[in-house]
Amino acid sequence: DAKTTQPNSMESNEEEPVHLPCNHSTISGTDYIHWYRQLPSQGPEYVIHGLTSNVNNRMASLAIAEDRKSSTLILHRATLRDAAVYYCILGPYNTDKLIFGTGTRLQVFP
Amino acid sequence: GAVVSQHPSWVICKSGTSVKIECRSLDFQATTMFWYRQFPKQSLMLMATSNEGSKATYEQGVEKDKFLINHASLTLSTLTVTSAHPEDSSFYICSARVFSGMNTEAFFGQGTRLTVV
């Protein structure tokens, strides 16, 4: 499985945008970029995924570099409920299992 | 969206006993489910892939005789921790993945916190 590198932790103030980076220099052509987050004492939840083009949904935006060796998860206005560990995961579309890295712990301050 | 439910949410057991954790897909059928383990302040570690109607596939280093997985129906997978010891205390999480066109999303249970005393 291709490896991802994320900062261990990041901080943000409430209602400010947050940009969470992920490096994946060994990404293969068939790898999708998936983002999940885990709130304290809960199972992870899906945030967004993409292949080449930038993606938007109600939770976040995903900006993918042109060479696909990095991506950025964008939370447009952080709330206290966004405090979680965010995981960037690579994997082919048709693979079932997700292999989690260390993720980024996001703290949001009021 | 799809829902995956785990039961129990937490359990305390005595050393040497066995504990069963259930994982149900509530509104979809899951031919494949996954079991993860998470120690405090660490990431999720994939333990095994649970396949409906066949044997589970275990990740390297996971003892299949200690962590028994049964996937007898399309909506239920169970993980039994046999002869549990304090080092088995952890947060166990199951998941199932749904593919729909170009959408792919994994749904996770709320987790089961196991404490072995």
Side-chain angles (χ1 to χ4, degrees):
Chain A
D1 297 306
K3 183 176 173 59
T4 62
T5 304
Q6 299 178 253
N8 287 332
S9 63
M10 292 186 66
E11 298 178 352
S12 174
N13 293 318
E14 207 174 3
E15 298 191 3
E16 289 185 354
V18 180
H19 291 231
L20 298 166
C22 180
N23 287 322
H24 30 78
S25 59
T26 59
I27 190 171
S28 74
T30 57
D31 279 336
Y32 280 72
I33 303 159
H34 306 267
W35 283 82
Y36 284 78
R37 72 179 186 181
Q38 185 179 23
L39 279 63
S41 299
Q42 296 187 28
E45 63 176 348
Y46 168 83
V47 178
I48 201 166
H49 78 281
L51 182 62
T52 56
S53 302
N54 295 342
V55 185
N56 300 297
N57 66 20
R58 62 177 178 80
M59 287 183 68
S61 295
L62 177 59
I64 301 172
E66 196 169 335
D67 62 6
R68 299 209 326 126
K69 293 186 176 182
S70 66
S71 61
T72 303
L73 179 70
I74 302 167
L75 306 180
H76 296 285
R77 289 183 64 189
T79 69
L80 297 178
R81 291 187 298 176
D82 291 323
V85 179
Y86 287 78
Y87 297 97
C88 169
I89 304 169
L90 302 184
Y93 173 82
N94 60 351
T95 187
D96 290 317
K97 61 184 180 182
L98 296 172
I99 304 299
F100 287 77
T102 54
T104 297
R105 183 174 299 276
L106 175 66
Q107 289 183 285
V108 180
F109 298 105
Chain B
V3 177
V4 173
S5 177
Q6 272 182 254
H7 179 80
S9 297
W10 60 270
V11 57
I12 301 173
C13 72
K14 291 185 177 180
S15 187
T17 62
S18 296
V19 174
K20 181 186 284 187
I21 302 170
E22 293 186 347
C23 179
R24 293 182 184 273
S25 56
L26 296 186
D27 51 1
F28 67 101
Q29 294 181 331
T31 55
T32 305
M33 291 185 176
F34 305 90
W35 288 96
Y36 294 83
R37 179 168 57 178
Q38 186 176 34
F39 292 109
K41 302 217 181 284
Q42 293 188 22
S43 185
L44 283 77
M45 186 197 80
L46 179 66
M47 298 175 66
T49 301
S50 172
N51 303 299
E52 188 268 334
S54 65
K55 292 183 178 180
T57 305
Y58 291 83
E59 296 297 304
Q60 191 172 8
V62 178
E63 299 175 58
K64 63 179 182 180
D65 294 330
K66 180 167 185 63
F67 299 100
L68 300 179
I69 291 172
N70 183 276
H71 195 154
S73 78
L74 288 171
T75 59
L76 174 63
S77 174
T78 61
L79 168 68
T80 301
V81 183
T82 63
S83 187
H85 291 284
E87 57 265 31
D88 298 321
S89 299
S90 189
F91 193 49
Y92 292 86
I93 306 167
C94 70
S95 81
R97 200 151 172 200
V98 176
F99 295 88
S100 175
M102 288 306 296
N103 293 319
T104 170
E105 183 174 342
F107 295 90
F108 291 81
Q110 73 271 34
T112 297
R113 189 163 301 283
L114 170 64
T115 302
V116 184
V117 298

